[in-house]
């Protein structure tokens, strides 16, 4: 399948056409034909459970912008993005964006860092978001704001954008090759892991003192927390068995509970995954419009380098371990869970379905709606198995004009508790709020998944939404991006 064959959702215009399109693709995605407005909207229903009273069902996903200062403090661009998170009207702000627990653990030299030097500005990020949220919704009742804590593991680039400094837990036969890692490249030692765990403790205590309601112990997208879950081949305390692979989480949680007992904890989890994908050079001759194909894994079966994948066919999923993991979260008293998938580094079409790839990506090997349906179905199944957890779903942005119809139905039918918004918040933060308020929908601001928000920051340009954002109108960044995309 090429990008050209995929029907653009923007061209469907009416929900009946969307319905017909789903049937053609044989996909199960819930949708409501009529959007309910005001307090009766399923998206506006508060959710009260345990210690939580969250004011509505709109969640904002973490979205980093590679735009912090070199010492890890938010810049004006970061403040602007967090204000937009507040403007969205979402009452659950899941982590704002990835904040590294140590300089060595940063994914790029402009990632936020939680440290004594940056704490004052991080606190201002939260209050700026809250003030903007009050302007949209009238109050901060039921607003829950977290901070996503991360160590980038295999994807650390703390010092130079172009200089990877991977910290790995085990040798991965496919990903090591991509990163040009020799077979004797050093693994993180158990004592280095213990010191990273202490970084998480310190960071969580600080987040609590800065007024964040919860921290997310990030376990997704190929970063360190996620890599632990697939560390089947690692020897020692932090790998091998399920118990070993989740020891990192348990030790992080234990320390946070004793240092900051009032702080809630959440986990964002890549519940499913697949093998790494790359551009298929056989399918196009122009050097840039290649379709994605899975790396060959024939000689790697049973596959022991994934989490949530079927070991006999790692392009398929297996929820038995993710279910065990959610069970563990319940035992640890963690109710807040955000379900996502895959990794932006090695299978972006799984993680954030898009029509257009970022400049270093590949054309979608499937209709992006298939990717949306995959994440919705996974989340639905996990929610069904763990009804007491407060579950946020991901990958809704590709639904574009039909996002309100699907979001409302997904919450109403209990597929998910909160509809999480990623890219849509960059282009049109108030989209779901406007829809459930009965305000005019501004179609021009609907994200069309052009991926510029990924391409630009990866190439040192400021982050944001290039085609739709006023912020770029008076700059030449858009032109620079066009040049980059032409390659
Ligand atoms: C520019 C950009 C930055 C992102 N930053 C983060 C991040 O800091 N932490 C995280 O867990 N996910 C991050 N994501 C992934 C999103 O949270 C989300 O899972 C993904 O975009 C799919 O949701 P969507 O379809 O609503 O965009 C990022 C995605 C994009 C495009
Ligand atoms: S740059 Fe804007 S339109 Fe493109 S994917 Fe990002 S948010 Fe959507």
């Amino acid at each position: 399948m090429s990008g050209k064959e995929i029907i653009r959702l923007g061209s469907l215009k009416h929900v009946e056409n969307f319905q017909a399109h789903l049937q053609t693709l044989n996909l199960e995605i819930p949708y409501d034909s009529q959007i309910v407005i005001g307090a009766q909207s399923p998206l506006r229903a508060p959710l009260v459970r345990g210690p939580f009273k969250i004011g509505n069902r709109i969640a904002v996903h973490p979205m980093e912008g590679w735009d912090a200062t070199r010492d890890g403090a938010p810049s004006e661009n970061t403040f602007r993005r967090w204000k937009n998170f507040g403007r969205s009207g979402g009452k659950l702000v899941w982590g704002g964006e990835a904040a590294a627990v140590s300089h060595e653990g940063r994914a790029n030299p402009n990632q936020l860092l939680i440290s004594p030097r940056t704490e004052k500005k991080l606190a201002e990020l939260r209050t700026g978001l809250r003030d903007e949220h009050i302007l949209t919704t009238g109050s901060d009742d039921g607003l829950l704001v977290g901070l996503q804590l991360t160590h980038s593991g295999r994807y650390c680039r703390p010092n130079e954008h172009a200089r990877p400094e991977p910290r790995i837990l085990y040798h991965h036969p496919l990903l090591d090759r991509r990163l040009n890692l020799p077979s004797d490249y050093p693994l993180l030692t158990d004592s280095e892991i213990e010191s990273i765990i202490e970084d998480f403790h310190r960071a969580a205590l600080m987040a609590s003192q800065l007024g964040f309601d919860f921290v997310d112990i990030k376990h997704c997208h190929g970063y360190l927390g996620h890599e632990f879950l697939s560390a089947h081949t690692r020897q020692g305390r932090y790998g091998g068995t399920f118990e070993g692979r989740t020891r990192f989480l348990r030790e992080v949680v234990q320390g946070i509970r004793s240092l900051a007992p009032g702080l809630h904890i959440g986990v964002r989890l890549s519940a499913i995954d697949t093998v790494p994908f790359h551009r298929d050079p056989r399918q196009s001759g122009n050097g840039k419009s290649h379709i994605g194909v899975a790396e060959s894994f024939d000689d790697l079966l049973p596959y022991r380098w994934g989490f949530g994948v079927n070991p006999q066919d790692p392009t398929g999923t297996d929820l038995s371990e993710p279910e065990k993991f959610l069970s563990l979260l319940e035992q640890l008293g963690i109710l807040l869970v955000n379900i996502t998938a895959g990794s932006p580094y090695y299978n972006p079409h799984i993680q954030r379905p898009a029509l257009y790839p970022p400049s270093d990506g590949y054309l979608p090997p499937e209709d992006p709606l298939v990717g949306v349906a995959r994440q919705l179905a996974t989340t639905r199944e996990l929610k069904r198995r763990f009804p007491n957890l407060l579950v946020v779903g991901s990958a809704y942005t590709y639904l574009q004009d039909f996002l309100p119809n699907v979001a409302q139905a997904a919450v109403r039918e209990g597929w998910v508790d909160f509809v999480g918004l990623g890219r849509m918040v960059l282009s049109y933060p108030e989209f779901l709020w406007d829809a459930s308020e009965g305000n005019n929908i501004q179609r021009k601001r609907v994200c069309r998944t052009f991926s510029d928000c990924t391409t630009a920051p990866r190439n040192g340009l400021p982050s944001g939404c290039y085609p739709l954002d006023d912020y770029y109108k008076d700059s030449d960044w858009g032109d620079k991006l066009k040049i980059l995309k032409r390659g």
Side-chain angles (χ1 to χ4, degrees):
M1 176 170 287
S2 78
K4 277 188 192 147
E5 292 158 0
I6 295 169
I7 293 188
R8 284 157 203 247
L9 293 192
S11 69
L12 295 179
K13 301 277 191 298
H14 301 291
V15 73
E16 296 76 26
N17 299 336
F18 177 64
Q19 176 189 18
H21 186 48
L22 291 179
Q23 278 168 2
T24 312
L25 293 172
N26 199 18
L27 293 178
E28 191 184 6
I29 292 183
Y31 64 90
D32 283 344
S33 300
Q34 298 294 326
I35 300 299
V36 182
I37 288 164
Q40 301 308 314
S41 165
L43 293 172
R44 294 294 182 90
L47 203 159
V48 184
R49 185 158 317 141
F52 299 106
K53 182 176 186 300
I54 303 172
N56 64 34
R57 305 308 188 88
I58 306 170
V60 179
H61 283 316
M63 299 278 291
E64 62 182 315
W66 295 258
D67 52 12
T69 59
R70 282 272 166 164
D71 62 359
S75 66
E76 277 315 304
N77 292 335
T78 326
F79 276 103
R80 176 181 161 278
R81 187 168 55 259
W82 280 59
K83 284 182 183 169
N84 281 340
F85 295 163
R87 259 174 73 192
S88 71
K91 289 283 184 186
L92 176 53
V93 178
W94 190 285
E97 69 186 81
V101 297
S102 65
H103 172 73
E104 300 72 38
R106 292 165 92 184
N108 62 75
N110 296 95
Q111 184 168 49
L112 281 186
L113 175 66
I114 177 160
S115 78
R117 288 177 69 167
T118 60
E119 61 178 341
K120 190 165 162 284
K121 291 244 170 182
L122 289 178
E124 288 169 17
L125 267 185
R126 191 190 66 83
T127 48
L129 178 153
R130 183 205 56 205
D131 294 348
E132 205 66 33
H133 175 85
I134 293 172
L135 292 180
T136 299
T137 68
S139 105
D140 63 354
D141 287 351
L143 174 66
L144 200 76
V145 182
L147 186 66
Q148 183 177 63
L149 300 183
T150 191
H151 184 292
S152 300
R154 192 171 282 271
Y155 299 104
C156 289
R157 289 183 184 216
N159 296 308
E160 300 291 335
H161 283 280
R163 196 172 87 218
E165 299 179 45
R167 308 307 316 272
I168 59 172
L169 296 172
Y170 59 86
H171 286 285
H172 190 302
L174 302 174
L175 294 179
D176 279 16
R177 205 162 60 209
R178 279 190 182 202
L179 293 168
N180 292 322
L181 302 183
S183 58
D184 60 351
Y185 191 82
L187 305 182
L188 275 168
T189 63
D190 283 5
S191 72
E192 285 172 321
I193 291 173
E194 282 158 18
S195 144
I196 291 173
I197 291 171
E198 282 169 18
D199 290 335
F200 271 85
H201 296 160
R202 267 194 299 275
L205 174 61
M206 198 174 283
S208 149
Q209 289 164 344
L210 299 181
F212 287 95
D213 301 301
F214 71 99
V215 287
D216 166 23
I217 312 302
K218 186 172 188 175
H219 275 69
C220 60
H221 302 163
Y223 298 109
L224 190 71
H226 188 205
E227 182 152 310
F228 272 108
L229 300 181
S230 58
H232 298 271
T233 58
R234 184 183 169 91
Q235 308 288 315
R237 297 179 70 236
Y238 294 99
T241 61
F242 181 78
E243 203 204 346
R245 287 179 282 123
T246 54
R247 190 180 308 281
F248 167 77
L249 171 76
R250 285 183 282 112
E251 293 186 355
V252 167
V253 170
Q254 197 181 20
I256 295 176
R257 294 266 198 251
S258 74
L259 283 171
L263 181 69
H264 298 298
I265 297 177
V267 171
R268 190 162 204 219
L269 173 71
S270 279
I272 54 171
D273 207 346
T274 182
V275 293
F277 271 59
H278 64 270
R279 298 171 177 199
D280 184 352
R282 291 164 308 177
Q283 299 203 37
S284 167
N286 66 7
K288 33 180 202 174
S289 54
H290 300 309
I291 296 167
V293 286
E295 300 248 359
S296 165
F297 52 83
D298 295 348
D299 54 348
L300 297 175
L301 297 178
Y303 193 77
R304 297 199 299 148
W305 302 273
F307 179 75
V309 301
N310 177 348
Q312 301 307 329
D313 172 8
T315 57
T317 59
D318 179 350
L319 283 183
S320 49
E321 281 228 324
E323 286 177 2
K324 234 169 135 181
F325 186 79
L326 294 199
S327 207
L328 172 65
L329 293 185
E330 277 195 330
Q331 285 163 32
L332 293 171
I334 296 174
L335 292 183
L336 290 169
V337 183
N338 185 324
I339 302 296
T340 172
S343 163
Y345 293 96
Y346 56 80
N347 49 27
H349 72 287
I350 299 285
Q351 190 238 358
R352 52 178 143 77
L355 195 53
Y356 304 91
S359 60
D360 57 352
Y362 49 78
L363 282 174
E366 60 186 11
D367 190 303
L369 263 188
V370 175
V372 175
R374 185 185 296 114
Q375 289 208 41
L376 260 61
T378 303
T379 309
R380 178 196 200 187
E381 178 56 16
L382 293 173
K383 175 68 205 168
R384 191 186 67 75
R385 294 272 291 108
F386 298 90
N388 292 328
L389 294 179
L390 302 179
V391 177
V392 183
S394 302
Y396 284 81
T397 290
Y398 182 75
L399 292 159
Q400 302 167 51
D401 311 77
F402 306 104
L403 168 56
N405 307 72
V406 175
Q408 179 180 298
V411 170
R412 188 179 55 70
E413 294 182 18
W415 285 43
V416 76
D417 295 308
F418 300 90
V419 169
L421 299 179
R423 290 160 294 178
M424 195 62 82
V425 173
L426 299 180
S427 72
Y428 187 179
E430 328 83 298
F431 187 30
L432 275 189
W433 183 262
D434 276 354
S436 55
E437 189 78 355
N439 295 338
N440 275 340
I441 296 299
Q442 301 170 49
R443 288 195 70 226
K444 281 191 177 153
R445 295 177 64 200
V446 171
C447 167
R448 301 290 171 200
T449 67
F450 296 123
S451 293
D452 294 353
C453 48
T454 312
T455 295
R458 277 197 192 160
N459 289 283
L461 303 183
S463 97
C465 174
Y466 278 81
L468 302 177
D469 213 330
D470 278 348
Y471 157 73
Y472 293 108
K473 298 245 162 82
D474 300 326
S475 75
D476 61 353
W477 295 116
D479 293 336
K480 288 192 174 147
L481 188 68
K482 274 187 210 141
I483 295 167
L484 271 173
K485 285 168 89 176
R486 278 201 298 270

